[in-house]
Amino acid sequence: MKLGEGVEQAVHSVVMLAQLSPDGLLSAAALAEFHGVRASYLLKHLQALSGAGILRTQPGPKGGYRLARPVGNISLLDIVLAVEGPEPAFRCLEIRQRGPNPLPGKPLRPCAINSAMQRAEQAYRAELRRVTIADILTDVGRDADASAIAARSCAFLAIHERKQEAGRLR
Amino acid sequence: MKLGEGVEQAVHSVVMLAQLSPDGLLSAAALAEFHGVRASYLLKHLQALSGAGILRTQPGPKGGYRLARPVGNISLLDIVLAVEGPEPAFRCLEIRQRGPNPLPGKPLRPCAINSAMQRAEQAYRAELRRVTIADILTDVGRDADASAIAARSCAFLAIHERKQEAGRLR
DNA sequence: GATTTTGTACTCGGATAGGAAGTGTCCGAGTACACATGG
DNA sequence: CCATGTGTACTCGGACACTTCCTATCCGAGTACAAAATC
């Protein structure tokens, strides 16, 4: 039960991208510099987000990343699944059947243990699905510290944000 | 977001131990043989359960493992935490502050992202805390497949179960 | 024959190698701009 | 002066090493039984 630290980078990057103007772009290098992380490592996760349909990319100079969907339609679960993969955390290997004398009737119903673990993970995912980037942004508006950081983000965006050329986004 | 397969082994072992007579013992070798897993690897997790106060051990010949608490007082969460460790899955590294110009006021309130992730994990743990070994056992009684496996467990226990000597348990 | 002593076999416990996955890095494909060139 | 062609610089994308954690294994400490020796 451990999440890679790429998840945090991915979520913060999405939040950052959500704060720029409707047709703005931001390069991976700018995102990495702002968060103090390695650009080449962040790229890996940004690519995962792009492949999952959460981000859109524009190659070439003046290129960068941009949200592919409205902020209300991007949940934390979408990001976590895109970065960590969709596989469930608990995989039942049916070690009940790996003993010296397994039962002949093969297709067993899932055991109670597996069911309980799956229910717990469903609850986890449901909670993450309820929270969207829009919710995060409204919380940012309420919190003083977060507002200060958001102001810093704006200053940073004012320097690094790029306007998207009409009709040239993938 | 991935759990080691030791979790499944640990839970099944606890369920197995819950099915033996009140003062019965079962060796790690027998548990491993029944589940078809490596004994030396299972030992590691059984030790973790022992250290967490879930199992009791009796060393020496005729020794083995036994539950340390009633089945209604052992939740799946206890086992998962004992095996995987108590650290939360998501660790906020505050990469908001790792940028080129961090805020001076140090003690920031936890960011909305971290809060959401923690809430999700709380839901996950709460769901696991609700399920005890007693619940698993009652489910075993209802399911046909599980009952057949339970019968097989009984046959296995009849051979490998050991009676605890009075007053010699650690 | 009963008791003590000793030896052995079996158990758990912690410390030690191997392998997979996450982490970190690199180079290549593609695009847009800028400049130079020709009309 | 304008249009065209070319070169360059910058972007993302995927393929390649390194580190950490999980997996698998080993040897050592401790205990109970059993047998042998002694009283």
Side-chain angles (χ1 to χ4, degrees), chain A residues 29-163:
Chain A
L31 281 168
E33 179 192 353
F34 183 79
H35 292 113
V37 298
R38 323 282 172 176
S40 43
Y41 183 45
L42 180 62
L43 261 172
K44 179 187 287 265
H45 301 302
L46 293 177
Q47 289 169 18
L49 294 174
S50 179
I54 298 173
L55 299 185
R56 276 183 172 176
T57 67
Q58 177 178 346
K62 302 284 181 179
Y65 288 94
R66 178 185 182 272
L67 296 188
R69 306 202 295 257
V71 290
N73 199 20
I74 300 175
S75 69
L76 288 183
L77 181 64
D78 295 329
I79 300 174
V80 171
L81 291 184
V83 174
E84 290 282 317
E87 304 85 21
F90 182 81
R91 310 168 302 279
C92 183
L93 300 177
E94 275 295 342
I95 65 174
R96 297 185 297 177
Q97 288 294 88
R98 290 174 54 180
N101 45 353
L103 286 178
K106 286 310 155 218
L108 285 101
R109 293 165 47 194
C111 67
I113 298 168
N114 189 26
S115 302
M117 299 297 288
Q118 297 300 338
R119 275 200 307 274
E121 194 166 352
Q122 291 295 329
Y124 178 79
R125 295 193 174 191
E127 198 68 24
L128 286 185
R129 194 180 291 114
R130 284 186 51 233
V131 181
T132 69
I133 300 301
D135 301 325
I136 301 291
L137 290 176
T138 57
D139 260 42
V140 166
R142 268 197 286 271
D143 186 14
D145 295 332
S147 294
I149 294 180
R152 185 163 63 90
S153 303
C154 285
F156 189 88
L157 287 178
I159 302 172
H160 293 87
E161 184 179 355
R162 301 167 178 179
K163 292 300 179 182

